[in-house]
């Protein structure tokens, strides 16, 4: 048969024939790909503290899954990066208060992690498997790179108050990210199944500038969505029924002391004596708050004992701390810094017995880049003012275990609480209570302190331990092994938190196996997604005779 006449091209005023042939402009294509993904990232950021609207994580990831469907690798990378911008520009906004240019670079680099996850998904089929796995692998990547990783802003922190939290004791924060991603994919499938009743609307919503993003049939979308929901519910229930650290073998009374003071200041702006005197004044309130209860532990925050060139042993500060230990008949753990020459310093937690004797020390292992040390200092000295970090902290090598009469403490100092391995190490070495001496006084807003409380909740659940935190200006808190915050201070104010906490000796699944099982499942999900996509591509090729 003879071909019919060609349909005339619709003329658009002001457009040349070449422009009409190219289709939508590049800017319009970028907006159609990146716009929904950017909005998804914003929803993900709003699920993270200080906002904490945890249900928004699933629709945010659903928008990312919708944005990458049917895209070539450039489109997937763009969508993932746009999602990352929405997530981390908001989630890491605090960094701008320290250095604007460095903060912007940090946001741009961190936003690449979801872009990597989007690249790990196939173009068409198999994305429901590959995208959650890719997001887990990307989150694992950003917790280790660059400069040791930066887990702040993670969507796992937003699930500290959500129903997925029990799964944390199975696979830690990475599993929470994976479950949130599966929930997002499930939401996308269920919405597609619902829109299947209105084919015209569904087709219009799913047509992208590159074409070919044909949605699954409503029956398949419904089945896939329900299957994903079953996976999320089953894993969460398994976490709720899994070993939770064992029964409570004993109970002790602890006091977390917060000296209070002005926030948004650096160590160079506030004299060390002012910080120490604030802690001393607050500690004098402990007997009145304890109300004759026998104390086992009094916890001071990180680096409230700043000694400069002196050493803790034989210092006036040691004498004051020893006096308090004898007066309160309790062990004390205090945060100390000591200068070591002109270029280095030590940041450690020191444990004192009820008799005032210095027992053990734990030196911080995971340092804060550009806060406690400057990597490649000779290079960055040419592009940034490094006067706020004149010395590099010496990295420690201990397990984090501090033994006091009546308890074995697992110590994670400040930034370390965001890294699951730093709490898992002392628990595997016998710690029956987690403590977090920290200092977030330099942050002007509540963004980082609230994320740290969420990290406390995740650590308490994943390790099956009570957790006690002390900060100079907050938040100080006490968290149960189920993640419930039973006591929390007010930012900037002087406070003493006294609580009865349980000691546990059992191990959760995560404490035994760590993140490796989750990483293996995530890698297999990515491979299975690509295998399905490649299999469908082979079957769709025409047979040539």
């Amino acid at each position: 048969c003879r071909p019919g006449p060609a349909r005339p091209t619709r003329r658009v005023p002001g457009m040349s024939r070449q422009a009409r042939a190219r289709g939508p402009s590049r800017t319009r294509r970028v907006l159609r790909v990146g716009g929904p993904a950017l909005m998804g990232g914003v929803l993900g950021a709003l699920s993270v503290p200080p906002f904490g609207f945890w249900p928004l994580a699933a629709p945010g990831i659903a928008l990312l899954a919708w944005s990458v469907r049917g895209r070539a690798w450039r489109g997937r990378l763009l969508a993932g990066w746009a999602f990352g911008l929405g997530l981390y520009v908001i989630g890491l906004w605090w960094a701008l208060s320290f250095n604007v240019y460095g903060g912007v670079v940090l946001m741009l680099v961190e936003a690449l992690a979801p872009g990597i996850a989007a690249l790990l998904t196939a173009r068409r089929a198999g994305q429901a498997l590959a995208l959650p796995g890719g997001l887990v692998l990307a989150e694992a990547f950003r917790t280790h790179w660059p400069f040791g990783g930066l887990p702040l802003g993670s969507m796992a922190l937003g699930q500290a108050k959500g129903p997925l939290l029990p799964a944390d004791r199975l696979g830690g924060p990475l599993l929470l990210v994976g479950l949130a991603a599966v929930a997002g994919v499930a939401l996308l499938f269920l919405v597609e199944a619902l829109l299947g009743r209105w084919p015209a609307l569904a087709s219009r919503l799913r047509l992208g500038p590159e074409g070919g993003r044909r949605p699954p049939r409503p029956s398949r979308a419904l089945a896939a969505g329900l299957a994903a929901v079953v996976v999320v519910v089953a894993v969460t229930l398994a976490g709720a029924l899994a070993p939770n650290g064992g029964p409570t073998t004993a109970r002790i009374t602890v006091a977390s002391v917060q000296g209070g003071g002005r926030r948004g200041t650096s160590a160079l702006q506030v004299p060390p004596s002012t910080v120490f005197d604030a802690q001393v004044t607050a500690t004098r309130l402990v007997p009145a708050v304890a109300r004759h209860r026998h104390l086992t532990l009094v916890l001071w925050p990180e680096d409230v004992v700043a000694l400069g060139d002196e050493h803790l042993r034989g210092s006036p500060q040691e004498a004051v701390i020893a006096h308090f230990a004898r007066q309160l008949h309790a062990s004390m753990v205090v945060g100390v810094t000591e200068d070591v020459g002109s270029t280095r310093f030590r940041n450690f937690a020191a444990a004192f017995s009820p008799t005032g004797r210095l027992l053990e020390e734990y030196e911080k292992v995971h340092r804060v880049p550009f806060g406690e040390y400057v990597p490649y200092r000779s290079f960055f000295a040419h592009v940034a003012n490094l006067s706020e970090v004149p010395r590099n902290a010496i990295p420690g090598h201990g397990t984090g275990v501090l033994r006091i009469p009546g308890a074995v403490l697992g110590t994670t100092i400040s930034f370390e609480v965001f890294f699951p391995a730093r709490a898992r190490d002392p628990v595997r070495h016998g710690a029956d209570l987690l403590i977090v001496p920290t200092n977030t006084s330099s942050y002007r807003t509540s963004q980082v302190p609230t994320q740290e409380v969420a990290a406390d909740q995740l650590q308490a659940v994943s390790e099956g331990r009570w957790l006690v935190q002390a900060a100079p200006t907050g938040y100080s808190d006490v968290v149960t092994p189920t993640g419930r915050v039973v006591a929390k201070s007010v930012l900037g104010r002087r406070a003493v938190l006294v609580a009865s906490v349980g000691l546990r000796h059992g191990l959760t699944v995560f404490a035994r196996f760590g993140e490796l099982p989750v990483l293996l499942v995530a890698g297999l999900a990515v491979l299975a997604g690509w295998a399905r996509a490649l299999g469908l591509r082979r079957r769709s090729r025409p047979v040539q005779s």
Side-chain angles (χ1 to χ4, degrees), residues 277-298:
D277 291 343
Q279 283 297 130
V280 169
T281 302
T283 306
R284 293 195 179 108
L285 303 176
V286 171
V289 179
R291 296 180 180 178
H292 305 293
R293 285 181 286 178
H294 174 69
L295 291 171
T296 300
L297 170 67
V298 176

Side-chain angles (χ1 to χ4, degrees), residues 170-524:
L170 291 179
L174 290 183
L175 181 57
L176 297 183
V177 172
L179 291 178
V182 174
V185 171
L187 179 61
L188 176 61
F189 279 129
L190 294 177
V191 170
E192 287 175 334
L194 180 63
L195 290 178
R197 298 187 177 186
W198 298 278
L201 176 61
S203 178
R204 184 173 182 179
L205 287 175
R206 298 183 182 101
L207 279 178
E210 296 176 9
R213 297 201 303 160
R214 194 183 314 171
R217 288 185 298 218
S219 59
R220 290 187 178 180
L222 179 61
L226 293 177
V229 169
V230 169
V231 169
V232 174
V233 173
V235 174
T236 304
L237 287 177
L241 298 175
N244 59 358
T248 298
T249 58
R251 297 193 73 87
I252 62 174
T253 302
V254 300
S256 173
V257 181
Q258 177 174 307
R262 186 162 60 94
R263 295 183 49 74
T265 58
S266 67
L268 300 179
Q269 295 172 307
V270 180
S273 59
T274 301
V275 178
F276 184 78
D277 291 343
Q279 283 297 130
V280 169
T281 302
T283 306
R284 293 195 179 108
L285 303 176
V286 171
V289 179
R291 296 180 180 178
H292 305 293
R293 285 181 286 178
H294 174 69
L295 291 171
T296 300
L297 170 67
V298 176
L299 178 63
W300 276 19
E302 177 191 23
D303 63 31
V304 290
V305 182
L307 298 173
D309 294 330
E310 299 181 63
H311 294 287
L312 179 61
R313 291 184 182 274
S315 67
Q317 291 87 345
E318 182 194 25
V320 172
I321 296 166
H323 168 74
F324 274 127
R326 290 190 294 268
Q327 182 187 44
L328 299 172
H329 305 289
S331 298
M332 292 188 65
V333 175
V334 301
V336 185
T337 57
E338 294 178 350
D339 291 342
V340 180
S342 60
T343 59
R344 300 187 301 165
F345 73 97
R346 298 178 64 217
N347 184 357
F348 62 97
F352 289 79
S353 73
T355 61
R357 184 169 60 92
L358 181 59
L359 296 174
E360 291 184 296
E361 297 176 356
Y362 163 67
E363 194 160 1
K364 189 174 184 178
V365 173
H366 206 123
R367 305 166 295 166
V368 181
F370 302 99
E372 292 174 320
Y373 81 105
V374 179
Y376 309 110
R377 182 180 286 270
S378 59
F379 168 77
F380 285 107
H382 297 289
V383 297
N385 181 10
L386 304 180
S387 60
E388 295 283 344
V389 193
R391 293 177 173 84
N392 285 344
I394 300 173
H397 303 284
T399 62
V401 170
L402 291 175
R403 293 174 176 83
I404 63 172
V408 180
L409 309 177
T411 311
T412 58
I413 300 178
S414 191
F415 186 55
E416 293 182 323
V417 78
F418 289 97
F419 296 86
R422 293 314 314 149
R424 181 171 173 256
D425 197 12
V427 166
R428 288 180 59 85
H429 283 82
D432 46 30
L433 173 67
L434 296 178
I435 61 171
V436 184
T438 185
N439 189 349
T440 57
S441 302
S442 57
Y443 300 99
R444 299 174 185 174
T445 68
S446 65
Q447 188 171 25
V448 171
T450 53
Q451 291 191 16
E452 190 170 37
V453 172
D456 292 343
Q457 294 175 269
L458 297 187
Q459 291 282 32
V461 174
S462 64
E463 303 300 336
R465 296 292 188 272
W466 283 77
L467 182 146
V468 182
Q469 176 171 287
T473 61
Y475 289 111
S476 301
D477 60 32
V478 179
V479 184
T480 72
T482 60
R484 185 166 63 95
V485 180
V486 295
K488 189 171 76 168
S489 66
V490 177
L491 288 178
R493 297 185 183 178
R494 182 174 297 140
V496 174
L497 305 180
V498 176
S500 174
V501 303
L503 304 181
R504 293 184 170 195
H505 301 285
L507 297 180
T508 62
V509 175
F510 179 78
R512 290 183 182 276
F513 301 106
E515 297 173 331
L516 182 59
V518 178
L519 292 174
L520 290 176
V521 172
L524 290 175

